[in-house]
Amino acid sequence: MNSINKFSLKDRVAVITGGAGLLGTKHAEAIAEAGGTPVIWDINELAAEKTAENIKNKFSIHSLGLKVDITDEASVKEGVGKVLSALNSIDILINNAANDPKVKIGEPSNWSRFENYSTPMWDMDIAVGLTGAFLCSKHIGAHMASKAKGVILNIASDLGVIAPDQRIYRQEGLPDDQQPVKPVTYSVIKHGLLGLTKYLSTYWANKNVRVNAISPGGIYNNQPEEFVTKLTNLIPLGRMADIDEYKSSIIYLCSDASSYMTGQNIIIDGGRTVL
């Protein structure tokens, strides 16, 4: 096969969890651009359906939007059944869904400090970001193993490789116990996804199910200038990522172009973790 043709996702069905979110939508677009069929799973049914409709209109390719609660095993199993009934196969799973409580510059955020972080918030974050990935991998991965082919791609983060630099969230004039920080759950979940990636890559290796991860750096999304400056000072390329800059890595890892790669984590962070 020609090397360029190996990037094609024609006739492949990809389930994207949290598919109606900022990055999830871009992952779905990447699948569509490579000729695949994106299936949008999201807790927000209207957003899932709207995202799928937008992709159909933009790329003239079939797309499906479904409400699935990935924290509920029965909902995941029902979602798998609906996709298989409609499209006969699931070839790719992108575990993208996550709670990401935002630290808002200029607003009191001492709730995010480790000492103050509530157990219910911890439980919900873990349920979405880690348990959800486990449940989706369990049921979709088993389907892939039964047909001896498939790809699971976990969306981790540069903060799954390094710790957050809490100085970039610091606000002048606040005492230490009031300073906002990146919540603990984000790092724990992203580190956990890398562990899940390695575990599953060997578990289903003999079934030709490849499992990899990407660790994106921060995406520019009109954040306050002070925050952007602090963060970009930590990045050798001197900027945050553009929203579309991760698309090519999604296509690569979901396609036959990466057919001999499994259990790996591609860090795409402008060089931040090199330092």
Side-chain angles (χ1 to χ4, degrees):
M1 180 187 291
N2 182 288
S3 294
I4 296 300
N5 293 338
K6 288 184 177 182
F7 288 89
S8 173
L9 295 175
K10 189 175 185 298
D11 299 324
R12 299 191 192 181
V13 176
V15 168
I16 302 112
T17 70
L22 181 69
L23 261 186
T25 299
K26 293 300 176 177
H27 302 333
E29 288 181 0
I31 297 297
E33 288 173 10
T37 301
V39 177
I40 312 302
W41 279 12
D42 204 280
I43 191 67
N44 185 325
E45 183 174 18
L46 184 61
E49 292 174 349
K50 183 177 180 180
T51 300
E53 188 64 29
N54 288 343
I55 287 172
K56 287 180 191 177
N57 294 336
K58 185 174 181 178
F59 298 99
S60 300
I61 202 160
H62 186 54
S63 183
L64 180 64
L66 295 173
K67 178 181 180 178
V68 177
D69 179 356
I70 62 169
T71 70
D72 180 352
E73 189 161 12
S75 181
V76 171
K77 290 171 71 174
E78 182 181 2
V80 170
K82 287 180 178 179
V83 178
L84 294 180
S85 177
L87 300 168
N88 301 315
S89 181
I90 301 175
D91 307 288
I92 299 161
L93 165 64
I94 301 179
N95 282 316
N96 169 77
N99 282 349
D100 185 11
K102 299 299 183 185
V103 177
K104 296 183 179 180
I105 306 301
E107 294 184 11
S109 299
N110 64 337
W111 60 266
S112 67
R113 297 193 65 80
F114 186 78
E115 299 88 342
N116 301 335
Y117 210 69
S118 72
T119 302
M121 188 170 286
W122 165 278
D123 290 341
M124 180 52 66
D125 289 353
I126 297 294
V128 174
L130 208 48
T131 306
F134 157 70
L135 291 174
C136 293
S137 298
K138 175 181 176 180
H139 292 286
I140 294 177
H143 163 74
M144 294 174 177
S146 72
K147 60 178 188 156
K149 188 171 185 181
V151 171
I152 297 174
L153 178 58
N154 293 320
I155 308 302
S157 167
D158 57 352
L159 299 186
V161 180
I162 58 174
D165 188 333
Q166 306 292 9
R167 294 173 299 179
I168 67 176
Y169 305 104
R170 190 168 183 84
Q171 298 181 23
E172 293 298 325
L174 289 178
D176 286 347
D177 64 354
Q178 296 293 311
Q179 288 291 342
V181 295
K182 188 72 172 179
V184 60
T185 47
Y186 191 82
S187 287
V188 169
I189 288 164
K190 297 308 185 180
H191 277 81
L193 284 176
L194 296 181
L196 182 66
T197 298
K198 294 174 184 178
Y199 181 90
L200 293 179
S201 70
T202 58
Y203 187 80
W204 278 318
N206 65 334
K207 299 297 185 181
N208 197 32
V209 177
R210 298 188 298 108
V211 188
N212 290 294
I214 66 168
S215 285
I219 299 164
Y220 181 69
N221 190 30
N222 297 309
Q223 294 93 338
E225 183 178 346
E226 180 184 359
F227 171 82
V228 173
T229 299
K230 288 179 178 179
L231 179 54
T232 54
N233 283 339
L234 302 174
I235 300 172
L237 285 185
R239 63 179 178 85
M240 298 177 73
D242 178 79
I243 188 63
D244 289 322
E245 283 192 285
Y246 299 117
K247 282 185 175 182
S248 55
S249 61
I250 297 294
I251 295 170
Y252 171 65
L253 289 172
C254 290
S255 71
D256 291 341
S258 59
S259 57
Y260 197 54
M261 179 180 287
T262 196
Q264 302 304 308
N265 175 39
I266 295 182
I267 305 170
I268 313 167
D269 65 349
R272 181 181 177 187
T273 57
V274 174
L275 300 175

